[in-house]
């Protein structure tokens, strides 16, 4: 076992120093969690090709314990959002995220997943996947090279190292309700914003009533 | 014959497999964790397959590799930083995803613009690493960096680079792109000689 892991800040009597290992729950939890991060096998755009490259023998991220890519969200720990997130795709991504077993992590790979990138004002692209699901690590690059992706995944492992079982959100009391799945209609709508959307629509209706056609005619006649 | 192609394909895989270990046995550990070793193993003549042991060893980056833009400054003899950028805004205009934001300095006394940036922001989570800014800059002030280890946990706090974070010395630029640097210096010398001979 690692020296780092067996460092409990408790004094071990010298006669049993090499026979027992004492560690904290947090450390063993983080150690096992960080060394078996299985990514989910799904790619969205060109970044996916770099992700596949990072998984192949040249860069081989199973060296870090990301042993295999799982095709099922139930067996995956980390979701690598690799590529442009379109409005048509985000309901599926949110659904996949909800289906992943906790603890779950999200890596936004590439600028499109982080912020929309070159398509940030596009009519069909979500400007950043972090508007819907919580993102742990952002990796810039268009696309990030496999080495940059590996650096990002190592950053995720470091983040996991700093977590504590008492403060992580999946062991907290209270509801852990799934993220509501966005609705793709004429435009993308977040169910969390429905109240706001209704209120805005109401306000718009009232505004229209105030500036109704009869009022406009009256205004015109005054000007004329 | 049916299946001959599969057998031949398996043979190729097997040859790569044994090739990897044969070379390792012959050369020992000298091929690993050294720059020379990585160069040898990534050559086209190498036999077998290999994995880049990433955090310990990195692939040799070619000179024209580009990741994010940075601003070049010259260090004067007095130790002062002379930023090459004149805040002309050409890079911001050509930038396809529009990730550059520049503000020009104004003289506090006369109120006239001074050719230097007072603020320069690049949102690296929008930058698509195309290199147009470096291509179009008439003052060789913005160049593409080689550093790719920039992942972080917070996009808004850490991924919008301000002027201080973008500035890097010309010595650094020379170290990552020696050929480009030499070419640009030569053309600048030529231009200076021309202007001095005219006047």
């Amino acid at each position: 076992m690692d020296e780092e892991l067996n460092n409990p800040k408790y004094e071990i009597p010298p006669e049993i120093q090499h026979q027992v290992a004492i560690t904290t729950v947090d450390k063993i939890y983080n150690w096992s969690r960080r060394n078996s991060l299985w990514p989910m096998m799904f790619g969205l755009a060109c970044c996916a090709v770099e992700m596949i490259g990072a998984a192949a023998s040249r860069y081989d991220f199973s060296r870090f314990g990301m042993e295999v890519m799982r095709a099922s969200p139930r067996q995956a720990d980390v979701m690598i959002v690799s590529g442009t997130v379109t409005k048509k795709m985000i309901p599926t991504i949110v659904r996949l995220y909800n289906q992943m077993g906790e603890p779950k992590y999200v890596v936004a790979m590439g600028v499109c997943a982080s912020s929309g990138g070159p398509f940030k004002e596009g009519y069909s692209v979500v400007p950043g996947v972090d508007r819907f699901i919580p993102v742990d690590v952002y990796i810039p690059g268009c696309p990030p090279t496999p080495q940059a992706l590996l650096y990002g995944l190592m950053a995720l492992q470091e983040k996991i190292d700093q977590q504590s079982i008492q403060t992580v959100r999946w062991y907290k009391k209270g509801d852990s309700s799934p993220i509501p799945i966005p609705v793709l209609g004429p435009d993308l709508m977040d169910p969390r914003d429905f109240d706001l959307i209704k209120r805005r629509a109401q306000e718009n209706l009232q505004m229209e009533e105030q500036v109704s056609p009869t009022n406009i005619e009256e205004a015109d006649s005054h000007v004329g | 014959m049916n299946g001959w192609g599969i057998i031949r394909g398996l043979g190729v895989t097997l040859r790569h497999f044994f090739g990897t270990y044969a070379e390792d046995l012959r050369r020992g550990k000298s091929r690993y964790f050294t720059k020379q070793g990585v160069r040898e193993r990534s050559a086209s003549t190498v036999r077998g397959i290999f994995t880049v042991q990433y955090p310990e060893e990195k692939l040799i980056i070619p000179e024209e590799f580009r990741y994010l833009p940075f601003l070049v400054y010259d260090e004067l003899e007095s130790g002062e930083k002379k930023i090459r950028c004149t805040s002309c805004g050409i890079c911001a205009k050509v930038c396809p995803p529009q990730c550059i934001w520049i503000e020009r300095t104004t003289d506090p006394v006369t109120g006239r613009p001074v050719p230097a940036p007072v603020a320069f922001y690049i949102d690296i989570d929008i930058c698509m690493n195309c290199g147009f800014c470096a291509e179009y800059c008439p003052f060789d002030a913005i160049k593409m960096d080689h550093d790719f280890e920039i992942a972080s946990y917070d996009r808004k706090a850490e991924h919008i680079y301000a002027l201080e974070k973008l500035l890097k010395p010309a010595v650094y630029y020379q170290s990552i792109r020696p050929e480009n640097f030499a070419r640009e210096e030569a053309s600048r010398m030529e231009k200076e000689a021309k202007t001095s001979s005219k006047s």
Side-chain angles (χ1 to χ4, degrees), chain B residues 126-144:
Chain B
I126 290 176
C127 172
M128 58 187 255
N129 318 138
C130 63
F132 275 17
C133 47
E135 200 93 2
Y136 278 90
C137 182
F139 304 101
D140 294 329
I142 189 163
K143 292 290 166 196
M144 301 306 278

Side-chain angles (χ1 to χ4, degrees), chain A residues 31-162:
Chain A
W31 176 75
S32 49
R33 182 64 52 208
R34 68 171 286 195
N35 287 316
S36 69
L37 276 177
W38 288 10
M40 186 153 67
M41 185 160 68
F42 89 109
L44 294 175
C46 28
C47 280
V49 179
E50 300 289 313
M51 182 182 69
I52 295 157
S57 61
R58 179 79 149 190
Y59 299 96
D60 193 15
F61 62 35
S62 32
R63 292 181 294 127
F64 301 96
M66 290 142 209
E67 203 53 48
V68 278
M69 286 202 173
R70 303 311 305 202
S72 159
R74 304 279 186 209
Q75 298 166 344
D77 301 296
V78 54
M79 178 192 242
I80 303 176
V81 184
S82 54
T84 320
V85 184
T86 54
K87 285 181 181 170
K88 194 161 185 175
M89 196 64 193
I90 188 75
T92 316
I93 291 173
V94 172
R95 182 166 289 147
L96 284 172
Y97 179 78
N98 287 338
Q99 285 175 350
M100 279 165 73
E102 285 177 332
K104 51 192 174 185
Y105 305 95
V106 178
V107 175
M109 176 190 182
V111 295
C112 294
S114 308
S115 75
F119 316 112
K120 64 183 189 296
E121 283 156 4
Y123 67 96
S124 62
V125 172
V126 177
V129 75
D130 55 355
R131 300 208 170 191
F132 292 95
I133 56 178
V135 174
D136 291 288
V137 177
Y138 298 86
I139 309 173
C142 188
T145 57
Q147 292 185 24
L149 174 61
L150 288 180
Y151 181 81
L153 290 169
M154 280 156 57
L156 176 63
Q157 288 185 329
E158 273 160 33
K159 186 175 185 175
I160 293 169
D161 268 346
Q162 291 156 12

